[in-house]
């Protein structure tokens, strides 16, 4: 009679699976809560303590760590000495291990203290799983409830023998090793954060990031190709991706997303998160991962119209993000322009019906969420990763200071605040010209800041937008006064920038010469 050992934290489908095994003539061995559940469901179950001839100890902390269990799992059925050694101790083979692990990550996410979190570190479960996966030629290692039905079907068809079921057994073993690796990674990551927190409290500076990182990424979908047709590509997601990030999106309509689409969705959600939770409606239009139009408005339709007015040429084929669900009035106008993707927390039914008439338009439901302070940002370089804390889209004004003779007027201050938020999402060198809650011109990705300034002015002039009295934001300091001179020529009256250049005094003097007001934020929002 084949024997299965079942001990699961996630009990989804376990009763049905165990019943199926019993009907096929398998003996069931179990522990603790799993054994109780199976008995309550009318199934015959042997306790592990009967197999080991040793009682559970320490409130169940020691129950499966016994040679009777591990010899039964690890014995190679085609090695006579293994079988003889097991027989000499009156042990019997275990042919299937069905285990999933204590919910460590969930305990940590709930804010458990260190002592409580450590109680969720599973010892026996990973040990049995790894033993079964190592000996997968003879033992089926099962960690995922989603595999139960398929395994029963194979067993019923008599296709699970070592000779016929090699591919299934290998696939299950691979899943086990990935699962236990991810489990250990979650524990290591928890301790890294714990250590980093202590270092941060002690003012340790750059060492507050973990000494080592272990990433677990699961393939979500294959992609037709990468940035170019000759590059292979797939989308992999963090098992515990933060709220508001791409793995949490729901595609409601449209054809499959591409590699470049996903990059743009990520850029759009990051940009719109600057207005997450705001009472005003906000709209960001993205093209090639950087904004070409940003605006707020009293209504969502007004925000869209004002963002589009910034650069309607670049908006063609773009990605649009909103900080509130898309309403019918906005959808009616969105339907009149070619767009690749619309990202919003949701879509009203009338809006959804209107937009789903465009078969190639992708509709993505994803709430606008600001990144948490502890969230890490990874940049891939050949042979490794650069790691940093993710840029905060919460713009505190604690360190802001007016450095010019002229103080900003109230409307200028409002324009500067808006321009600074918008600038944080633009690729560097970033220059944003804004007024009355919308961008007039954006200069991005140039080799010199003065060129970005000229492009921003040119973009505004192309749309016949008057830049007289407008605000200008720069994501990093002006290294020379030429950027200020170019802004003054366009009628810019107020500037916001981080400051910190060796030529700050020269730049401040230029602003004073032109009668401008300028704020230093003390914070750079550079995006490479």
């Amino acid at each position: 009679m084949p024997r299965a050992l079942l001990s699961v934290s996630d009990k989804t489908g376990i009763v049905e699976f165990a019943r199926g095994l019993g009907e096929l003539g398998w003996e069931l061995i179990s522990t603790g809560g799993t054994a109780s559940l199976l008995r309550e469901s009318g199934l015959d179950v042997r306790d592990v303590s009967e197999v080991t001839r040793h009682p559970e100890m320490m409130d169940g902390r020691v129950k499966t760590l016994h040679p009777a269990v591990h010899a039964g799992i690890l014995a190679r059925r085609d090695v006579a000495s293994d079988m003889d050694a097991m027989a000499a101790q009156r042990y019997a083979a275990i042919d299937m291990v069905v285990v999933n692990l204590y919910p460590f990550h969930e305990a940590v996410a709930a804010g458990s203290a260190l002592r409580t979190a450590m109680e969720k570190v599973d010892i026996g479960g990973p040990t049995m799983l790894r033993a079964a996966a190592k000996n997968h030629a003879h033992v089926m290692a099962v960690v995922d409830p989603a595999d139960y039905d398929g395994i029963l079907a194979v067993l019923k068809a008599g296709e699970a023998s070592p000779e016929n079921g090699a591919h299934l057994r290998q696939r299950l073993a691979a899943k086990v090793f990935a699962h236990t690796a991810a489990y250990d990674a979650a524990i290591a990551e928890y301790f890294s954060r714990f250590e980093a927190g202590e270092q941060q409290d002690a003012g340790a500076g750059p060492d507050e990031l973990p000494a080592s990182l272990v990433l677990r990424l699961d393939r979500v979908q294959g992609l037709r190709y990468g940035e170019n047709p000759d590059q292979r590509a797939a989308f992999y997601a963090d098992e515990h991706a933060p709220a508001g990030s791409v793995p949490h999106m729901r595609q409601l309509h449209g054809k499959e997303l591409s590699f470049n689409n996903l990059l743009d969705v990520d850029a759009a959600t990051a940009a719109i998160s600057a207005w997450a939770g705001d009472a005003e409606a906000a709209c960001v239009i993205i093209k090639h991962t950087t904004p070409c139009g940003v605006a707020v408005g009293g209504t969502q339709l007004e925000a869209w119209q004002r963002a589009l007015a910034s650069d309607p040429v670049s908006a063609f084929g773009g990605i649009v993000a909103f900080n509130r669900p898309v309403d019918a009035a906005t959808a009616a106008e969105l339907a009149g322009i070619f767009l690749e993707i619309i990202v919003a927390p949701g879509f009203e039914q009338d809006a959804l019906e209107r937009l789903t008439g465009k078969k190639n338009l992708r509709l993505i439901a994803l709430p606008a969420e600001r990144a948490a302070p502890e969230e890490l940002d990874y940049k891939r370089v050949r042979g490794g990763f650069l790691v940093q804390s993710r840029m905060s889209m919460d713009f505190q004004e604690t360190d802001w200071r007016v450095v010019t003779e002229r103080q900003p007027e109230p409307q200028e201050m409002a324009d500067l605040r808006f321009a600074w938020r918008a600038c944080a999402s633009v690729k560097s060198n970033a220059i944003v010209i804004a007024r009355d809650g919308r961008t007039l011109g954006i200069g991005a990705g140039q080799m010199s800041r003065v060129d970005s300034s000229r492009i921003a002015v040119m973009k505004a002039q192309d749309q016949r937008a008057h830049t007289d009295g407008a605000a200008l934001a720069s994501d990093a300091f002006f290294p020379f006064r030429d950027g200020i001179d170019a802004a003054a020529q366009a009628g810019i009256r107020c500037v916001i920038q981080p400051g910190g250049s060796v030529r700050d005094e020269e730049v401040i003097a230029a602003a004073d010469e032109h009668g401008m007001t300028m704020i230093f934020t003390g914070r750079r929002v550079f995006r490479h």
Side-chain angles (χ1 to χ4, degrees), residues 197-213:
E198 288 186 337
Q199 291 174 338
Q200 191 170 18
D201 290 342
D207 290 337
E208 66 191 44
L209 289 176
S212 62
L213 289 169

Side-chain angles (χ1 to χ4, degrees), residues 418-427 430-432 473-476 525 527:
F418 173 84
W420 186 242
R421 283 196 196 189
C423 190
S425 301
V426 178
K427 290 290 184 68
I431 295 291
V432 170
S474 172
D475 63 345
V525 289
R527 291 185 66 226

Side-chain angles (χ1 to χ4, degrees), residues 435-512:
R435 186 176 52 220
D436 298 330
R438 80 173 183 95
T439 53
L440 304 179
I442 298 174
Q446 298 304 302
M447 287 68 75
S448 75
R449 195 157 298 277
V450 68
D451 285 343
S452 287
S453 299
R454 289 169 179 151
I455 289 171
V457 171
M458 178 193 72
K459 288 284 189 180
Q461 292 173 342
D462 285 347
Q463 304 310 316
R464 304 185 190 283
H466 298 293
T467 55
D468 289 344
L472 181 148
S474 172
D475 63 345
F477 61 66
F478 284 94
F480 304 99
R481 66 170 288 163
D482 52 6
I484 299 298
D485 292 333
Q489 289 174 10
I492 302 297
R493 291 278 290 162
C494 50
V495 175
I496 187 167
Q497 58 135 321
S501 168
V502 295
R503 292 186 173 85
D504 274 349
E505 293 305 318
E506 175 186 320
V507 171
I508 294 168
D512 283 333

Side-chain angles (χ1 to χ4, degrees), residues 16 53 74 87 258 285 288-289 298 370 394-395 438 450 497:
E16 293 77 12
R53 302 188 294 276
L74 286 167
S258 70
I285 306 173
H288 303 307
T289 73
R370 288 180 181 152
D394 185 14
F395 302 97
R438 80 173 183 95
V450 68
Q497 58 135 321

Side-chain angles (χ1 to χ4, degrees), residues 244-257:
S245 61
V246 174
H248 290 286
M249 71 182 183
R250 291 186 299 118
Q251 184 170 353
L252 306 180
H253 177 70
K255 59 185 180 181
E256 187 177 10
L257 292 160

Side-chain angles (χ1 to χ4, degrees), residues 174-255:
K175 186 174 283 191
V176 161
F177 286 123
H179 185 76
T180 56
Y183 193 76
D184 287 339
I187 297 168
E189 192 269 339
Y190 170 75
F191 271 104
S192 295
R193 281 196 285 119
F194 186 75
E195 180 184 5
E198 288 186 337
Q199 291 174 338
Q200 191 170 18
D201 290 342
D207 290 337
E208 66 191 44
L209 289 176
S212 62
L213 289 169
V214 183
L215 297 179
R216 158 72 184 275
L217 302 173
D218 294 318
R219 190 173 67 184
V220 174
Q221 67 185 86
L223 303 171
R224 288 178 60 197
Y225 51 79
E227 288 178 293
N228 299 291
D230 61 331
Q231 294 174 266
R232 294 177 299 163
F235 174 37
Y236 290 79
D238 184 343
E239 184 182 18
H240 304 295
S245 61
V246 174
H248 290 286
M249 71 182 183
R250 291 186 299 118
Q251 184 170 353
L252 306 180
H253 177 70
K255 59 185 180 181

